[in-house]
Amino acid sequence: MSVQYATLAILGSMVGLMALGIPLAFVTLSIAIVATLLVLGPDGISLIAARMYTFVMEPALIAVPMFVLMASFMDKSGVAKDLFNAMYVWSGRLRGGVAIQTMFVAVLLAAITGIVGGETVMLGLVALPQLLRLKYNKHLAVGTIAAGGALGTMIPPSIVLIMYGVTAGVSTGDLFKATLMPGLLLATLYMVYIYVLCKLNPEMGPALPEEEILSFNEKLSSLKGLLAPAMIALWVLGSIYGGICSVSEAAAMGCIATLFMIIKRGLLTKESLQESLQETLRTCGKLFWLSLGATALIGIFNIMGGSRYLSELMEQLPFSPIVVVIIMMVIMAVLGMFMDWIGILILTMPIFIPIIKTMGFDPVWFGVLFCMNMQISFISPPFGPACFYLKSVAPDSVSLMDIFKGVLPFIALQAIAVALVISFPQIALWLPGL
């Protein structure tokens, strides 16, 4: 069978099996096994198994369970409530102020957890009831929380960045540095949008009631809730940016610091510790099963010459290199509407990264674009995971369609941010270059 027909057969099989509701991990793994038996025979299974083994032995992957466990500890510690209460009182008479403060809390949570699902649920439980109580526009409230929760993809520490670094063979530390400025840019765009929207239409985001506005000294006193999480975020990110620790070491120390914070607050019980460990195992198990299946499929696809065929096909397109990058972004955006980010990462990056390097682009810069694209996928209808996370904790008055409508302006802002980073690569590459 020619490479062209083999590629179509693999894609068709994937679409068909996923349409039947089979999990992506088992789809990719079963197709990889069948393709290996057809192309290489039974002896080829050991070759694919060796590739899978090489992937899971990558040292950078040690950071993944550490950051997931750290996020779970944060969830149990009540830190989201502390952060929100500390920032909530500063909104004062500013229209849209509570939504802007919610976005600020989202940035802080992203810098501590790096897990989109956990952050979105925490914000949904803490911030959404307050926004609805203050008569904020329902679509603005849910859009703010879903988009803010998705910042966990961009603001380090991010599991997406770690997995991209392993797959693309680039430094995770450089990726963490590169995504900081684009992540803050995106959060700033969100805040400016909320401010302008509420300035033009005050009913979208009312100011705090007079009885809830505190004096300056009372506001300063409320900042005590920021101290512990801020210290942890400063230690994890500061040690990475300062070259003191590797990403894995910083993840382990952050995990220990978070555990101590829970102990100090008297929240550590046998049940909470067991829940955190089980949640970490479930998340990492899903992540690694998806990675193994996709790694196996890409392995046999490369042996068949499929990656080389697709690379040559894209290089022959009659477009400039930057247009090829935009085409890749569109492909990933479409895939992001239907697939998990880890499946997109493992299936596309082995094909896209060699093309990016051949065209002379920096793979770290492309990694930032990939993460920004995956952030769009987290809130993109019809299967945006952040929307479903938020719906799971939202009141009955908030429908899934309300959430989809609320995220649309934020998707447009995300697209603007991607365009800015494509047009001005130094937004991402300035900090790693220092």
Side-chain angles (χ1 to χ4, degrees), residues 60-323:
L61 289 177
I62 296 172
V64 174
M66 292 294 99
F67 280 130
V68 174
L69 184 58
M70 180 176 158
S72 183
F73 283 156
M74 280 290 176
D75 185 24
K76 302 292 185 293
S77 70
V79 71
K81 185 176 181 180
D82 291 346
L83 288 172
F84 183 80
N85 290 340
M87 300 307 303
Y88 166 80
V89 297
W90 287 86
S91 57
R93 295 179 177 83
L94 178 66
R95 295 197 177 276
V98 178
I100 293 172
Q101 300 293 359
T102 300
M103 192 61 69
F104 190 82
V105 171
V107 173
L108 292 177
L109 285 175
I112 300 170
T113 64
I115 306 294
V116 171
E119 184 179 350
T120 305
V121 169
M122 284 190 281
L123 286 172
L125 288 171
V126 173
L128 184 58
Q130 294 290 352
L131 291 169
L132 296 178
R133 179 183 68 84
L134 294 170
K135 307 299 182 184
Y136 270 67
N137 177 272
K138 182 164 55 176
H139 297 146
L140 175 62
V142 295
T144 298
I145 291 173
L151 284 171
T153 308
M154 285 294 300
I155 306 290
S158 164
I159 304 301
V160 179
L161 289 172
I162 296 171
M163 297 303 293
Y164 174 86
V166 171
T167 306
V170 298
S171 165
T172 306
D174 285 346
L175 286 169
F176 275 21
K177 296 169 189 173
T179 51
L180 183 62
M181 295 304 293
L184 294 177
L185 168 67
L186 195 52
T188 303
L189 286 176
Y190 290 162
M191 294 179 191
V192 170
Y193 164 73
I194 294 168
Y195 174 77
V196 172
L197 183 67
C198 295
K199 190 75 173 177
L200 296 176
N201 186 357
E203 292 182 0
M204 296 289 286
L208 278 181
E210 285 295 328
E211 62 272 16
E212 295 186 31
I213 297 177
L214 304 182
S215 68
F216 182 73
N217 288 336
E218 289 173 321
K219 290 179 180 178
L220 284 179
S221 178
S222 71
L223 292 179
K224 289 184 295 185
L226 287 175
L227 187 59
M231 290 289 288
I232 294 173
L234 182 63
W235 165 243
V236 172
L237 297 182
S239 60
I240 294 172
Y241 294 150
I244 301 169
C245 294
S246 69
V247 172
S248 299
E249 291 164 348
M253 292 306 297
C255 193
I256 292 171
T258 310
L259 179 60
F260 282 152
M261 184 177 70
I262 295 178
I263 293 172
K264 186 176 183 300
R265 295 184 175 197
L267 297 172
L268 183 66
T269 63
K270 180 181 177 182
E271 290 74 20
S272 65
L273 181 60
Q274 185 175 1
E275 286 176 9
S276 294
L277 293 172
Q278 289 178 341
E279 184 179 327
T280 301
L281 284 172
R282 280 194 297 269
T283 302
C284 293
K286 175 186 175 184
L287 195 64
F288 288 127
W289 267 111
L290 284 164
S291 300
L292 289 175
T295 300
L297 181 58
I298 285 296
I300 185 60
F301 192 59
N302 286 339
I303 292 172
M304 294 164 57
S307 295
R308 186 173 61 253
Y309 162 71
L310 291 177
S311 296
E312 291 173 354
L313 191 65
M314 293 201 72
E315 288 171 4
Q316 291 170 5
L317 293 174
F319 305 121
S320 64
I322 200 68
V323 174

